[in-house]
Each structure stands twice: as structure tokens, then as C-alpha cells.
Amino acid sequence: MKSIINDLAVYTSGNSQNQSIIFVHGFPYDHSMWDKQVEYLSQNYFCITYDIRGLGASVVGDGQYTMEKYAEDLFMIISELNLSKPILCGLSMGGYLSFRAVEINQNIFKSVIFCDTKAQSDTDEIKLIRANKIKQINEDGLDAFVEGFVPTCFSSGYKTNYSDNYQSIKTLCKTNKPIGVKGALIAMLSRVDSTPFLSKISIPTLHLCGEFDEMTPPNLMAEVASKITNSHFFVVPNSGHMSPIENPDFVNKAIYDFIKQL
Ligand code: MLT
């Protein structure tokens, strides 16, 4: 079911009396990147996905976003849907948002699942890369940006073996509004570093990382997981940065096994 909360497109699936899981997508995708997880988990859990401000079917506005605003949006959805101790699950940019949300108030969550993400803020080098991406969108258009960026997110195996899905994902990314995509780049480059907070996370966490993820590689994620007391880390085989899409069977089982014992 689709609803609008705080100008954001929010999608729910499953019985609302069940334990809730709220999924936060990566950049520059939308809620549908979690379709395989929702299909699998909504039999036993109340699944919530949404489009981050500026992307998918959510409001674009003036494109002046911050990670703080994204976190505020997440808390608003939790409150409007009356979710009690939801499990939070974020990929990459959704993971940055999840780290920040947990830092603001970990007590409202039962646990957190971090997929292909990192706790560190952007280095100067990455900030400059993002500045160049904004320039590219301004000068060459969003399609050129998507054609350059999205291939770096997927493993070569996925691109070859699931070429139709991969092409559809790129087409979907191109339907975003340039102002929303540029706003997300600015929100990411201006986010704070969550590393100092890692040792204070006390709720259970699961960390999943594609074996071929070059953007947030397994060794980086393993290091982050090692700084959290109650953490479990798994490498997702045959996957790049988009593990929930590239190897949904492994990711679904890892999530299910983790949450059923909470
Ligand atoms: C994502 O998948 O959300 C992005 O690759 C994150 C990033 O660009 O840092």
C-alpha cells in the first residue's frame, strides 16, 4: 500500500501487527531496490520502504537536503505509522542515514542492518569527486551521470547475467529529477562522521557486504562491525555494492536468520 507522509512516498506490506522493518535505499535508487526483501519478509514482518526526499516519487523541492533532514524524515515516518521498535535496514546512502539515526536515538530501534555502507564521512578526495558529479549533471545531464555511476555499483557478473534487470535499474535512475540527485550528493558530502559513535551502539547489528563491493569493500565493513559490541558480519557472495539486488537469496536468509533470534 502506498501513502504520502511528510511529502514522501511510503510503501507498506504485510501485517501491521507484526514486528516492523523499515528499509532505506541507496543512491540514486528508490524503494524498489528492496522488492525481493519485501516479497520474502512480508510474510512474517511488517515491511516499510520509502523514497528518500528528492528521489523516486517523493517530493523534490529546492534540493537543499542534509543527512539531518533525511533522518528527521525517517523519524517522522516511524512516528506517523506508530511503529514500535522497528528494525532499521539501510544500504549505502541509506546506511549513512541509518548510522546517523541510530546516533540520534538508538533506543527507538530494535536492531539495525547495515548493507554495503560505511560509518566514515567523505574524505576530501570523495568530496571533490561528488563536486565533479554535480558539474557533470549540470553540463552533460542526468543520463550521462547515471551511465557513468550505476555501472560502478554492480558486479560484472550481475551486469552480464541479469542484463535486462540492470538496464531497467539504469532506466529507473534516469527518471529522477536532476535537482534531487544533486541534493543527495550534497547531503552525503556534508554528513558527519559516525565512527566515534560505533563503540556506543548497544543494539544488535548485522553487517552485509558484497564480496566485489568496491565502493564500501568488505574489509572496511568488517572493521566497522568490529567496533560495535553486538555485531555480526557476513560477506555476500557473487555481489558488488548492491547486494540485496544482486544476491537476494543470501541477503534474505541472512536478514531472516538475524531478526528471528532478536
Ligand atoms: C549509494 O549506493 O548509496 C552510493 O553509492 C553512496 C555513495 O555514493 O557514497
Side-chain angles (χ1 to χ4, degrees), residues 20 22 46 48 77-86 108:
S20 56
I22 182 157
F46 183 48
I48 302 104
I77 292 169
I78 291 170
S79 149
E80 288 291 311
L81 292 177
N82 278 317
L83 304 179
S84 164
K85 290 260 180 189
I108 74 159

Side-chain angles (χ1 to χ4, degrees), residues 54-68:
L55 297 171
S58 285
V59 70
V60 173
D62 61 7
Q64 309 283 303
Y65 321 131
T66 59
M67 204 52 70
E68 297 310 284

Side-chain angles (χ1 to χ4, degrees), residues 231-247:
S231 66
H232 307 262
F233 170 72
F234 295 98
V235 172
V236 181
N238 302 319
S239 174
H241 184 61
M242 301 302 292
S243 60
I245 295 179
E246 295 183 67
N247 193 343

Side-chain angles (χ1 to χ4, degrees), residues 25-29 91-94 96 116 118 122 126 130 133 149 153 185 188 191 215-216 241-242:
H25 65 82
F27 167 87
Y29 306 97
L91 177 130
S92 200
M93 178 176 74
Y96 308 158
D116 303 275
K118 58 186 170 198
D122 282 0
I126 295 177
R130 295 210 200 273
K133 285 176 177 152
F149 182 75
C153 296
L185 285 163
M188 286 192 284
R191 74 189 190 278
M215 224 174 278
T216 51
H241 184 61
M242 301 302 292

